[in-house]
PDB file of all heavy atoms in Angstrom:
ATOM      1  N   GLY O 730     -25.983  74.399 -13.485  1.00  0.00           N
ATOM      2  CA  GLY O 730     -26.411  73.565 -12.378  1.00  0.00           C
ATOM      3  C   GLY O 730     -27.895  73.231 -12.328  1.00  0.00           C
ATOM      4  O   GLY O 730     -28.357  72.690 -11.296  1.00  0.00           O
ATOM      5  N   ALA O 731     -28.659  73.471 -13.370  1.00  0.00           N
ATOM      6  CA  ALA O 731     -30.077  73.128 -13.350  1.00  0.00           C
ATOM      7  C   ALA O 731     -30.264  71.628 -13.146  1.00  0.00           C
ATOM      8  O   ALA O 731     -29.673  70.799 -13.850  1.00  0.00           O
ATOM      9  CB  ALA O 731     -30.725  73.561 -14.642  1.00  0.00           C
ATOM     10  N   CYS O 732     -31.130  71.294 -12.194  1.00  0.00           N
ATOM     11  CA  CYS O 732     -31.398  69.889 -11.894  1.00  0.00           C
ATOM     12  C   CYS O 732     -32.556  69.342 -12.725  1.00  0.00           C
ATOM     13  O   CYS O 732     -32.773  68.119 -12.803  1.00  0.00           O
ATOM     14  CB  CYS O 732     -31.697  69.692 -10.415  1.00  0.00           C
ATOM     15  SG  CYS O 732     -30.305  70.024  -9.318  1.00  0.00           S
ATOM     16  N   PHE O 733     -33.362  70.236 -13.318  1.00  0.00           N
ATOM     17  CA  PHE O 733     -34.419  69.841 -14.179  1.00  0.00           C
ATOM     18  C   PHE O 733     -34.747  70.997 -15.106  1.00  0.00           C
ATOM     19  O   PHE O 733     -34.420  72.165 -14.785  1.00  0.00           O
ATOM     20  CB  PHE O 733     -35.663  69.371 -13.440  1.00  0.00           C
ATOM     21  CG  PHE O 733     -36.255  70.359 -12.480  1.00  0.00           C
ATOM     22  CD1 PHE O 733     -37.302  71.177 -12.851  1.00  0.00           C
ATOM     23  CD2 PHE O 733     -35.747  70.484 -11.183  1.00  0.00           C
ATOM     24  CE1 PHE O 733     -37.866  72.138 -11.959  1.00  0.00           C
ATOM     25  CE2 PHE O 733     -36.316  71.403 -10.290  1.00  0.00           C
ATOM     26  CZ  PHE O 733     -37.329  72.212 -10.668  1.00  0.00           C
ATOM     27  N   VAL O 734     -35.363  70.710 -16.253  1.00  0.00           N
ATOM     28  CA  VAL O 734     -35.678  71.732 -17.246  1.00  0.00           C
ATOM     29  C   VAL O 734     -37.154  71.665 -17.559  1.00  0.00           C
ATOM     30  O   VAL O 734     -37.719  70.561 -17.844  1.00  0.00           O
ATOM     31  CB  VAL O 734     -34.871  71.517 -18.546  1.00  0.00           C
ATOM     32  CG1 VAL O 734     -35.311  72.477 -19.635  1.00  0.00           C
ATOM     33  CG2 VAL O 734     -33.367  71.686 -18.249  1.00  0.00           C
ATOM     34  N   VAL O 735     -37.832  72.823 -17.496  1.00  0.00           N
ATOM     35  CA  VAL O 735     -39.283  72.897 -17.765  1.00  0.00           C
ATOM     36  C   VAL O 735     -39.529  73.878 -18.910  1.00  0.00           C
ATOM     37  O   VAL O 735     -38.850  74.880 -19.057  1.00  0.00           O
ATOM     38  CB  VAL O 735     -40.037  73.399 -16.532  1.00  0.00           C
ATOM     39  CG1 VAL O 735     -41.561  73.399 -16.770  1.00  0.00           C
ATOM     40  CG2 VAL O 735     -39.683  72.539 -15.295  1.00  0.00           C
ATOM     41  N   GLY O 736     -40.491  73.536 -19.744  1.00  0.00           N
ATOM     42  CA  GLY O 736     -40.808  74.457 -20.880  1.00  0.00           C
ATOM     43  C   GLY O 736     -42.310  74.647 -21.023  1.00  0.00           C
ATOM     44  O   GLY O 736     -43.098  73.826 -20.562  1.00  0.00           O
ATOM     45  N   PRO O 737     -42.714  75.701 -21.713  1.00  0.00           N
ATOM     46  CA  PRO O 737     -44.132  75.951 -21.930  1.00  0.00           C
ATOM     47  C   PRO O 737     -44.652  75.121 -23.110  1.00  0.00           C
ATOM     48  O   PRO O 737     -45.834  75.034 -23.374  1.00  0.00           O
ATOM     49  CB  PRO O 737     -44.151  77.429 -22.286  1.00  0.00           C
ATOM     50  CG  PRO O 737     -42.827  77.711 -22.897  1.00  0.00           C
ATOM     51  CD  PRO O 737     -41.871  76.806 -22.189  1.00  0.00           C
ATOM     52  N   LEU O 738     -43.695  74.503 -23.876  1.00  0.00           N
ATOM     53  CA  LEU O 738     -44.032  73.682 -25.013  1.00  0.00           C
ATOM     54  C   LEU O 738     -43.115  72.483 -25.073  1.00  0.00           C
ATOM     55  O   LEU O 738     -42.152  72.363 -24.282  1.00  0.00           O
ATOM     56  CB  LEU O 738     -43.926  74.508 -26.310  1.00  0.00           C
ATOM     57  CG  LEU O 738     -42.630  75.307 -26.487  1.00  0.00           C
ATOM     58  CD1 LEU O 738     -41.420  74.448 -26.950  1.00  0.00           C
ATOM     59  CD2 LEU O 738     -42.805  76.426 -27.498  1.00  0.00           C
ATOM     60  N   PHE O 739     -43.371  71.566 -26.000  1.00  0.00           N
ATOM     61  CA  PHE O 739     -42.527  70.383 -26.186  1.00  0.00           C
ATOM     62  C   PHE O 739     -41.609  70.616 -27.353  1.00  0.00           C
ATOM     63  O   PHE O 739     -42.030  70.888 -28.476  1.00  0.00           O
ATOM     64  CB  PHE O 739     -43.338  69.126 -26.398  1.00  0.00           C
ATOM     65  CG  PHE O 739     -42.569  67.944 -26.816  1.00  0.00           C
ATOM     66  CD1 PHE O 739     -41.556  67.443 -26.030  1.00  0.00           C
ATOM     67  CD2 PHE O 739     -42.798  67.321 -28.067  1.00  0.00           C
ATOM     68  CE1 PHE O 739     -40.776  66.348 -26.434  1.00  0.00           C
ATOM     69  CE2 PHE O 739     -42.039  66.220 -28.451  1.00  0.00           C
ATOM     70  CZ  PHE O 739     -41.039  65.755 -27.658  1.00  0.00           C
ATOM     71  N   ASN O 740     -40.285  70.439 -27.143  1.00  0.00           N
ATOM     72  CA  ASN O 740     -39.296  70.523 -28.158  1.00  0.00           C
ATOM     73  C   ASN O 740     -38.451  69.265 -28.108  1.00  0.00           C
ATOM     74  O   ASN O 740     -37.772  69.035 -27.138  1.00  0.00           O
ATOM     75  CB  ASN O 740     -38.426  71.777 -27.953  1.00  0.00           C
ATOM     76  CG  ASN O 740     -37.398  71.990 -29.062  1.00  0.00           C
ATOM     77  OD1 ASN O 740     -36.799  71.044 -29.519  1.00  0.00           O
ATOM     78  ND2 ASN O 740     -37.205  73.257 -29.448  1.00  0.00           N
ATOM     79  N   ALA O 741     -38.522  68.441 -29.140  1.00  0.00           N
ATOM     80  CA  ALA O 741     -37.844  67.179 -29.162  1.00  0.00           C
ATOM     81  C   ALA O 741     -36.314  67.327 -29.036  1.00  0.00           C
ATOM     82  O   ALA O 741     -35.635  66.467 -28.474  1.00  0.00           O
ATOM     83  CB  ALA O 741     -38.172  66.406 -30.443  1.00  0.00           C
ATOM     84  N   GLU O 742     -35.781  68.436 -29.533  1.00  0.00           N
ATOM     85  CA  GLU O 742     -34.308  68.634 -29.426  1.00  0.00           C
ATOM     86  C   GLU O 742     -33.892  68.955 -27.994  1.00  0.00           C
ATOM     87  O   GLU O 742     -32.808  68.610 -27.585  1.00  0.00           O
ATOM     88  CB  GLU O 742     -33.909  69.831 -30.355  1.00  0.00           C
ATOM     89  CG  GLU O 742     -34.136  69.498 -31.828  1.00  0.00           C
ATOM     90  CD  GLU O 742     -33.459  68.207 -32.267  1.00  0.00           C
ATOM     91  OE1 GLU O 742     -32.257  68.046 -31.965  1.00  0.00           O
ATOM     92  OE2 GLU O 742     -34.096  67.345 -32.939  1.00  0.00           O
ATOM     93  N   VAL O 743     -34.793  69.611 -27.225  1.00  0.00           N
ATOM     94  CA  VAL O 743     -34.480  69.850 -25.830  1.00  0.00           C
ATOM     95  C   VAL O 743     -34.496  68.502 -25.094  1.00  0.00           C
ATOM     96  O   VAL O 743     -33.661  68.268 -24.239  1.00  0.00           O
ATOM     97  CB  VAL O 743     -35.523  70.810 -25.185  1.00  0.00           C
ATOM     98  CG1 VAL O 743     -35.282  70.928 -23.682  1.00  0.00           C
ATOM     99  CG2 VAL O 743     -35.395  72.212 -25.830  1.00  0.00           C
ATOM    100  N   ALA O 744     -35.440  67.658 -25.454  1.00  0.00           N
ATOM    101  CA  ALA O 744     -35.488  66.318 -24.825  1.00  0.00           C
ATOM    102  C   ALA O 744     -34.203  65.565 -25.076  1.00  0.00           C
ATOM    103  O   ALA O 744     -33.673  64.930 -24.094  1.00  0.00           O
ATOM    104  CB  ALA O 744     -36.688  65.533 -25.384  1.00  0.00           C
ATOM    105  N   LYS O 745     -33.650  65.619 -26.230  1.00  0.00           N
ATOM    106  CA  LYS O 745     -32.390  64.919 -26.559  1.00  0.00           C
ATOM    107  C   LYS O 745     -31.258  65.401 -25.660  1.00  0.00           C
ATOM    108  O   LYS O 745     -30.486  64.601 -25.092  1.00  0.00           O
ATOM    109  CB  LYS O 745     -32.030  65.152 -27.999  1.00  0.00           C
ATOM    110  CG  LYS O 745     -32.903  64.368 -29.017  1.00  0.00           C
ATOM    111  CD  LYS O 745     -32.449  64.644 -30.425  1.00  0.00           C
ATOM    112  CE  LYS O 745     -33.291  63.938 -31.455  1.00  0.00           C
ATOM    113  NZ  LYS O 745     -32.868  64.226 -32.819  1.00  0.00           N
ATOM    114  N   ILE O 746     -31.102  66.717 -25.575  1.00  0.00           N
ATOM    115  CA  ILE O 746     -29.971  67.243 -24.812  1.00  0.00           C
ATOM    116  C   ILE O 746     -30.126  66.986 -23.302  1.00  0.00           C
ATOM    117  O   ILE O 746     -29.113  66.724 -22.632  1.00  0.00           O
ATOM    118  CB  ILE O 746     -29.777  68.744 -25.108  1.00  0.00           C
ATOM    119  CG1 ILE O 746     -28.392  69.204 -24.659  1.00  0.00           C
ATOM    120  CG2 ILE O 746     -30.858  69.584 -24.465  1.00  0.00           C
ATOM    121  CD1 ILE O 746     -28.037  70.625 -25.158  1.00  0.00           C
ATOM    122  N   CYS O 747     -31.352  67.007 -22.843  1.00  0.00           N
ATOM    123  CA  CYS O 747     -31.576  66.690 -21.406  1.00  0.00           C
ATOM    124  C   CYS O 747     -31.344  65.191 -21.153  1.00  0.00           C
ATOM    125  O   CYS O 747     -30.733  64.816 -20.123  1.00  0.00           O
ATOM    126  CB  CYS O 747     -32.993  67.074 -20.995  1.00  0.00           C
ATOM    127  SG  CYS O 747     -33.243  68.862 -20.861  1.00  0.00           S
ATOM    128  N   ASN O 748     -31.824  64.346 -22.068  1.00  0.00           N
ATOM    129  CA  ASN O 748     -31.574  62.903 -21.899  1.00  0.00           C
ATOM    130  C   ASN O 748     -30.087  62.531 -21.876  1.00  0.00           C
ATOM    131  O   ASN O 748     -29.670  61.701 -21.097  1.00  0.00           O
ATOM    132  CB  ASN O 748     -32.267  62.125 -23.036  1.00  0.00           C
ATOM    133  CG  ASN O 748     -33.793  62.132 -22.934  1.00  0.00           C
ATOM    134  OD1 ASN O 748     -34.338  62.384 -21.846  1.00  0.00           O
ATOM    135  ND2 ASN O 748     -34.445  61.887 -24.029  1.00  0.00           N
ATOM    136  N   ARG O 749     -29.342  63.220 -22.718  1.00  0.00           N
ATOM    137  CA  ARG O 749     -27.905  62.983 -22.764  1.00  0.00           C
ATOM    138  C   ARG O 749     -27.254  63.260 -21.445  1.00  0.00           C
ATOM    139  O   ARG O 749     -26.301  62.599 -21.033  1.00  0.00           O
ATOM    140  CB  ARG O 749     -27.250  63.839 -23.873  1.00  0.00           C
ATOM    141  CG  ARG O 749     -25.772  63.553 -24.053  1.00  0.00           C
ATOM    142  CD  ARG O 749     -25.219  64.379 -25.184  1.00  0.00           C
ATOM    143  NE  ARG O 749     -25.799  64.063 -26.467  1.00  0.00           N
ATOM    144  CZ  ARG O 749     -26.522  64.895 -27.195  1.00  0.00           C
ATOM    145  NH1 ARG O 749     -26.716  66.150 -26.762  1.00  0.00           N
ATOM    146  NH2 ARG O 749     -27.032  64.539 -28.342  1.00  0.00           N
ATOM    147  N   ARG O 750     -27.739  64.254 -20.720  1.00  0.00           N
ATOM    148  CA  ARG O 750     -27.123  64.669 -19.452  1.00  0.00           C
ATOM    149  C   ARG O 750     -27.859  64.036 -18.226  1.00  0.00           C
ATOM    150  O   ARG O 750     -27.454  64.330 -17.125  1.00  0.00           O
ATOM    151  CB  ARG O 750     -27.133  66.193 -19.329  1.00  0.00           C
ATOM    152  CG  ARG O 750     -26.326  66.906 -20.423  1.00  0.00           C
ATOM    153  CD  ARG O 750     -24.826  66.937 -20.077  1.00  0.00           C
ATOM    154  NE  ARG O 750     -24.557  67.799 -18.955  1.00  0.00           N
ATOM    155  CZ  ARG O 750     -24.284  69.111 -19.087  1.00  0.00           C
ATOM    156  NH1 ARG O 750     -24.263  69.667 -20.309  1.00  0.00           N
ATOM    157  NH2 ARG O 750     -24.001  69.848 -18.038  1.00  0.00           N
ATOM    158  N   GLY O 751     -28.904  63.251 -18.464  1.00  0.00           N
ATOM    159  CA  GLY O 751     -29.599  62.651 -17.358  1.00  0.00           C
ATOM    160  C   GLY O 751     -30.400  63.644 -16.539  1.00  0.00           C
ATOM    161  O   GLY O 751     -30.579  63.463 -15.333  1.00  0.00           O
ATOM    162  N   ILE O 752     -30.887  64.682 -17.202  1.00  0.00           N
ATOM    163  CA  ILE O 752     -31.663  65.738 -16.509  1.00  0.00           C
ATOM    164  C   ILE O 752     -33.139  65.608 -16.928  1.00  0.00           C
ATOM    165  O   ILE O 752     -33.456  65.516 -18.127  1.00  0.00           O
ATOM    166  CB  ILE O 752     -31.127  67.139 -16.963  1.00  0.00           C
ATOM    167  CG1 ILE O 752     -29.701  67.324 -16.552  1.00  0.00           C
ATOM    168  CG2 ILE O 752     -31.996  68.238 -16.386  1.00  0.00           C
ATOM    169  CD1 ILE O 752     -29.460  67.285 -15.057  1.00  0.00           C
ATOM    170  N   PRO O 753     -34.053  65.644 -15.972  1.00  0.00           N
ATOM    171  CA  PRO O 753     -35.485  65.535 -16.320  1.00  0.00           C
ATOM    172  C   PRO O 753     -35.901  66.758 -17.142  1.00  0.00           C
ATOM    173  O   PRO O 753     -35.595  67.878 -16.861  1.00  0.00           O
ATOM    174  CB  PRO O 753     -36.183  65.581 -14.975  1.00  0.00           C
ATOM    175  CG  PRO O 753     -35.163  65.107 -13.972  1.00  0.00           C
ATOM    176  CD  PRO O 753     -33.846  65.649 -14.496  1.00  0.00           C
ATOM    177  N   TYR O 754     -36.641  66.466 -18.246  1.00  0.00           N
ATOM    178  CA  TYR O 754     -37.226  67.522 -19.089  1.00  0.00           C
ATOM    179  C   TYR O 754     -38.731  67.405 -18.939  1.00  0.00           C
ATOM    180  O   TYR O 754     -39.319  66.364 -19.198  1.00  0.00           O
ATOM    181  CB  TYR O 754     -36.789  67.313 -20.547  1.00  0.00           C
ATOM    182  CG  TYR O 754     -37.483  68.236 -21.521  1.00  0.00           C
ATOM    183  CD1 TYR O 754     -37.703  69.584 -21.239  1.00  0.00           C
ATOM    184  CD2 TYR O 754     -37.922  67.763 -22.762  1.00  0.00           C
ATOM    185  CE1 TYR O 754     -38.331  70.405 -22.173  1.00  0.00           C
ATOM    186  CE2 TYR O 754     -38.522  68.580 -23.680  1.00  0.00           C
ATOM    187  CZ  TYR O 754     -38.760  69.918 -23.369  1.00  0.00           C
ATOM    188  OH  TYR O 754     -39.360  70.742 -24.289  1.00  0.00           O
ATOM    189  N   ILE O 755     -39.349  68.485 -18.500  1.00  0.00           N
ATOM    190  CA  ILE O 755     -40.795  68.524 -18.216  1.00  0.00           C
ATOM    191  C   ILE O 755     -41.408  69.522 -19.210  1.00  0.00           C
ATOM    192  O   ILE O 755     -41.423  70.724 -18.944  1.00  0.00           O
ATOM    193  CB  ILE O 755     -41.063  68.918 -16.788  1.00  0.00           C
ATOM    194  CG1 ILE O 755     -40.345  67.992 -15.825  1.00  0.00           C
ATOM    195  CG2 ILE O 755     -42.579  68.865 -16.505  1.00  0.00           C
ATOM    196  CD1 ILE O 755     -40.391  68.442 -14.362  1.00  0.00           C
ATOM    197  N   PRO O 756     -41.863  69.038 -20.366  1.00  0.00           N
ATOM    198  CA  PRO O 756     -42.348  69.953 -21.379  1.00  0.00           C
ATOM    199  C   PRO O 756     -43.832  70.354 -21.199  1.00  0.00           C
ATOM    200  O   PRO O 756     -44.619  69.559 -20.631  1.00  0.00           O
ATOM    201  CB  PRO O 756     -42.181  69.141 -22.667  1.00  0.00           C
ATOM    202  CG  PRO O 756     -42.437  67.736 -22.208  1.00  0.00           C
ATOM    203  CD  PRO O 756     -41.853  67.676 -20.826  1.00  0.00           C
ATOM    204  N   GLY O 757     -44.201  71.481 -21.677  1.00  0.00           N
ATOM    205  CA  GLY O 757     -45.579  71.908 -21.641  1.00  0.00           C
ATOM    206  C   GLY O 757     -46.363  71.249 -22.749  1.00  0.00           C
ATOM    207  O   GLY O 757     -45.959  71.180 -23.917  1.00  0.00           O
ATOM    208  N   CYS O 758     -47.499  70.628 -22.380  1.00  0.00           N
ATOM    209  CA  CYS O 758     -48.346  69.907 -23.333  1.00  0.00           C
ATOM    210  C   CYS O 758     -49.795  70.391 -23.166  1.00  0.00           C
ATOM    211  O   CYS O 758     -50.252  70.656 -22.045  1.00  0.00           O
ATOM    212  CB  CYS O 758     -48.276  68.395 -23.087  1.00  0.00           C
ATOM    213  SG  CYS O 758     -46.621  67.677 -23.253  1.00  0.00           S
ATOM    214  N   GLY O 759     -50.495  70.489 -24.314  1.00  0.00           N
ATOM    215  CA  GLY O 759     -51.864  70.984 -24.254  1.00  0.00           C
ATOM    216  C   GLY O 759     -52.859  69.992 -24.782  1.00  0.00           C
ATOM    217  O   GLY O 759     -54.070  70.327 -24.946  1.00  0.00           O
ATOM    218  N   SER O 760     -52.425  68.734 -25.043  1.00  0.00           N
ATOM    219  CA  SER O 760     -53.344  67.730 -25.532  1.00  0.00           C
ATOM    220  C   SER O 760     -52.814  66.362 -25.199  1.00  0.00           C
ATOM    221  O   SER O 760     -51.643  66.189 -24.819  1.00  0.00           O
ATOM    222  CB  SER O 760     -53.476  67.837 -27.090  1.00  0.00           C
ATOM    223  OG  SER O 760     -52.282  67.428 -27.723  1.00  0.00           O
ATOM    224  N   VAL O 761     -53.681  65.339 -25.358  1.00  0.00           N
ATOM    225  CA  VAL O 761     -53.290  63.980 -25.097  1.00  0.00           C
ATOM    226  C   VAL O 761     -52.198  63.540 -26.054  1.00  0.00           C
ATOM    227  O   VAL O 761     -51.239  62.873 -25.688  1.00  0.00           O
ATOM    228  CB  VAL O 761     -54.505  63.029 -25.218  1.00  0.00           C
ATOM    229  CG1 VAL O 761     -54.068  61.597 -25.024  1.00  0.00           C
ATOM    230  CG2 VAL O 761     -55.538  63.409 -24.130  1.00  0.00           C
ATOM    231  N   SER O 762     -52.308  63.951 -27.301  1.00  0.00           N
ATOM    232  CA  SER O 762     -51.299  63.591 -28.287  1.00  0.00           C
ATOM    233  C   SER O 762     -49.928  64.169 -27.935  1.00  0.00           C
ATOM    234  O   SER O 762     -48.877  63.491 -28.085  1.00  0.00           O
ATOM    235  CB  SER O 762     -51.700  64.072 -29.685  1.00  0.00           C
ATOM    236  OG  SER O 762     -52.846  63.331 -30.148  1.00  0.00           O
TER     237      SER O 762
END
């Protein structure tokens, strides 16, 4: 039942699975890039 997913880092595979389910993925980023 998670309504959003947050991580300490960015993982492109997590983004894919969240996008598929329409769930916001908020990844941890440490730079502009």
Side-chain angles (χ1 to χ4, degrees):
C732 293
F733 58 96
V734 174
V735 184
L738 50 77
F739 169 60
N740 184 319
E742 296 304 312
V743 174
K745 287 180 182 179
I746 197 170
C747 288
N748 289 340
R749 184 178 297 118
R750 297 281 288 272
I752 299 296
Y754 172 42
I755 306 170
C758 300
S760 71
V761 176
S762 292

